[in-house]
Amino acid sequence: MPQFRPEFLAKVDEAIAHYPAFKRSASLPLLHLWQEEFGYISNEGIHWIAEKLGLQPIQILELVTFYPMFRQKPFGKYHIKVCRTLSCALGGSSELHERFKKTLRVEGDPHGPIHSPDGKYTLEFVECLASCGTAPVCMINDDFHEKVDSQEKINALLAKCN
Ligand code: FES
């Protein structure tokens, strides 16, 4: 079991206290708290949350597998999100994704997150990032990048990832 910071445990207790009649309703808040604290939802996390709420682990697991925002594996220090929705698809998002793959020398199913072996990067297609007029667009962690349409631009973005 991981070390729990007292702040984390206090937030968990507070979240549960919001649902005195139905502790089960705290499942999603607890999953968010766990992911925020540990980076992803481990098997350990699923069991811990289930026990905390008096549920079966399967009831937590089904939420983790249903909602795409929950991660079941650790993500890289840099999370690269490439938009694949229509405008970006027409504007070259497949090429952008491919260029990132080649530059980072990573392989994997483009339908899911692709992790670099050193744990530094996670590359993933996502849906519309709300800048459809400046395709193709991507995000690296919380930073937004528009018209990423050349290898030079990709190199410049990755050079900032230390
Ligand atoms: S389609 Fe890519 S930002 Fe909207």
Side-chain angles (χ1 to χ4, degrees):
M1 207 39 81
Q3 285 283 69
F4 294 115
R5 292 184 312 120
E7 296 86 349
F8 168 72
L9 293 173
K11 284 185 196 168
V12 166
D13 288 342
E14 195 203 324
I16 295 172
H18 286 144
Y19 307 97
F22 299 102
K23 274 190 359 181
R24 181 179 187 163
S25 302
S27 301
L28 286 177
L30 261 57
L31 282 167
H32 282 290
L33 285 171
W34 185 281
Q35 185 160 288
E36 217 175 278
E37 185 75 3
F38 300 107
Y40 70 107
I41 315 286
S42 61
N43 217 20
E44 235 172 6
I46 289 169
H47 281 80
W48 189 84
I49 293 170
E51 199 181 318
K52 203 82 183 147
L53 300 177
L55 300 171
Q56 292 300 314
I58 186 71
Q59 293 172 290
I60 300 300
L61 179 63
E62 64 192 13
L63 295 173
V64 174
T65 53
F66 180 79
Y67 290 105
M69 68 274 198
F70 293 127
R71 306 165 177 172
Q72 287 186 273
K73 280 188 175 173
F75 268 37
K77 181 178 176 193
Y78 296 99
H79 184 191
I80 303 168
K81 290 165 268 190
V82 176
C83 172
R84 67 170 165 204
T85 308
L86 188 60
S87 295
C88 286
L90 296 173
S93 61
S94 291
E95 292 84 345
L96 175 57
H97 190 272
E98 203 53 43
R99 277 181 169 151
F100 270 121
K101 269 175 63 180
K102 282 202 177 115
T103 311
L104 298 173
R105 297 196 181 119
V106 294
E107 286 299 329
D109 179 358
H111 298 292
I114 301 172
H115 308 281
S116 66
D118 61 3
K120 188 170 178 185
Y121 298 100
T122 295
L123 172 64
E124 182 176 46
F125 270 129
V126 296
E127 301 309 326
C128 186
L129 293 172
S131 183
C132 317
T134 57
V137 304
C138 71
M139 289 184 77
I140 300 183
N141 293 343
D142 293 331
D143 297 327
F144 193 74
H145 306 286
E146 300 169 302
K147 287 194 182 290
V148 189
D149 53 7
S150 70
Q151 186 63 45
E152 290 69 30
K153 289 181 182 176
I154 289 175
N155 293 345
L157 292 178
L158 292 177
K160 292 182 195 158
C161 300
N162 300 310

